[in-house]
Amino acid sequence: QLQLQESGPGLVRPSETLSLTCTVSGGSITSSNYDWGWIRQPPGKGLEYIGSIYYSGSTYYNPSLKSRVTMSVDPSKNQFALRLSSVTAADAAVYYCARCPPTSRDGFDVWGQGKMVSVSS
Amino acid sequence: QSVLTQPPSVSGAPGQRVTISCTGSSSNIGAGYDVHWYQQLPGTAPKLLIYGNNKRPSGVPDRFSVSKSGTSASLAITGLQAEDEADYYCQSYDSGLSGFWVFGGGTKLTVL
């Protein structure tokens, strides 16, 4: 059974860079035609798609965050990562990694449990 | 501000039928892209509830169904049960400026 697990610091200082890693288990990140993505949820608010990456390294970022987002992938470790620079209080959220839909007819079918990231000095 | 608009809350008594709406625009739902729905229980990750044309992942009862018309979609829950109390999110694809996955702001379902 495919499982995803987020890891990384739970506290980031304002203006610094948020870094999270998602480890995929129960399957290979290179198998099938899936992108791997990040979605966040500020406390008490809705879901926001951050971006996604294919195992080859090709990426797609939400235009609203594009200038601050970098994603990378390490197929040898079955991991992909998120970096969000110049964070502010508005970036405090639960960050989820998820398997992206292969087409617009599909949904995000596998999610990590989420990692709460706070922004404070 | 979410790209897809949902009511903040809905409620219903056990056994009743409730619907949750999801309104988009001509670049997402109105363009014919499928709408998918997620259920989020408190403190947990969203779970895919219904996708595509009324497709349900294994284990999701057929009490949950969806419909779509124009730039809107709806999730219907019949035979409401206490365990249905959760937050529900709609999601679609947007072919706007750059095209990407978009979500609704979420609807809190309260079972009275």
Side-chain angles (χ1 to χ4, degrees), chain A residues 4-57:
Chain A
L4 281 64
Q5 178 70 58
E6 306 87 351
S7 59
L11 178 64
V12 183
R13 289 189 170 84
S15 80
E16 295 192 345
T17 297
L18 177 160
S19 295
L20 294 174
T21 298
C22 181
T23 301
V24 179
S25 60
S28 173
I29 202 170
T30 63
S31 66
S32 302
N33 196 28
Y34 290 103
D35 282 20
W36 302 88
W38 292 94
I39 296 158
R40 70 180 183 178
Q41 184 173 34
K45 296 188 178 180
L47 301 165
E48 180 181 33
Y49 168 75
I50 300 171
S52 54
I53 188 166
Y54 192 59
Y55 78 87
S56 64

Side-chain angles (χ1 to χ4, degrees), chain B residues 13-112:
Chain B
Q16 285 188 334
R17 177 182 186 272
V18 297
T19 61
I20 299 173
S21 62
C22 175
T23 302
S25 67
S26 59
S27 63
N28 42 67
I29 300 175
Y33 293 110
D34 283 348
V35 180
H36 317 296
W37 292 86
Y38 301 82
Q39 179 190 61
Q40 186 177 35
L41 298 172
T44 69
K47 180 186 87 167
L48 183 62
L49 189 67
I50 287 190
Y51 66 101
N53 185 17
N54 262 313
K55 298 177 183 176
R56 285 176 290 276
S58 175
V60 176
D62 59 7
R63 300 187 294 106
F64 296 88
S65 63
V66 298
S67 61
K68 191 174 78 166
S69 178
T71 59
S72 295
S74 291
L75 171 70
I77 309 172
T78 58
L80 204 57
Q81 299 181 5
E83 59 258 38
D84 297 333
E85 185 161 296
D87 293 326
Y88 291 85
Y89 292 88
C90 60
Q91 176 253 313
S92 186
Y93 177 80
D94 191 284
S95 61
L97 279 178
S98 298
F100 60 101
W101 308 115
V102 291
F103 289 90
T107 298
K108 169 67 177 178
L109 168 62
T110 300
V111 180
L112 302 171

Side-chain angles (χ1 to χ4, degrees), chain A:
Chain A
Q1 180 183 356
L2 191 70
Q3 293 185 315
L4 281 64
Q5 178 70 58
E6 306 87 351
S7 59
L11 178 64
V12 183
R13 289 189 170 84
S15 80
E16 295 192 345
T17 297
L18 177 160
S19 295
L20 294 174
T21 298
C22 181
T23 301
V24 179
S25 60
S28 173
I29 202 170
T30 63
S31 66
S32 302
N33 196 28
Y34 290 103
D35 282 20
W36 302 88
W38 292 94
I39 296 158
R40 70 180 183 178
Q41 184 173 34
K45 296 188 178 180
L47 301 165
E48 180 181 33
Y49 168 75
I50 300 171
S52 54
I53 188 166
Y54 192 59
Y55 78 87
S56 64
S58 63
T59 56
Y60 185 83
Y61 302 145
N62 184 330
S64 68
L65 297 167
K66 188 175 183 177
S67 63
R68 300 193 291 130
V69 172
T70 303
M71 292 184 184
S72 59
V73 61
D74 187 342
S76 68
K77 295 182 178 179
N78 231 23
Q79 294 177 333
F80 60 103
L82 167 70
R83 289 172 58 86
L84 180 65
S85 64
S86 305
V87 300
T88 69
D91 294 311
V94 176
Y95 285 75
Y96 296 101
C97 58
R99 187 169 73 173
C100 293
T103 74
S104 63
R105 302 193 66 86
D106 304 286
F108 292 85
D109 61 343
V110 184
W111 296 65
Q113 67 181 31
K115 176 69 176 181
M116 179 65 212
V117 178
S118 300
V119 178
S120 174
S121 55

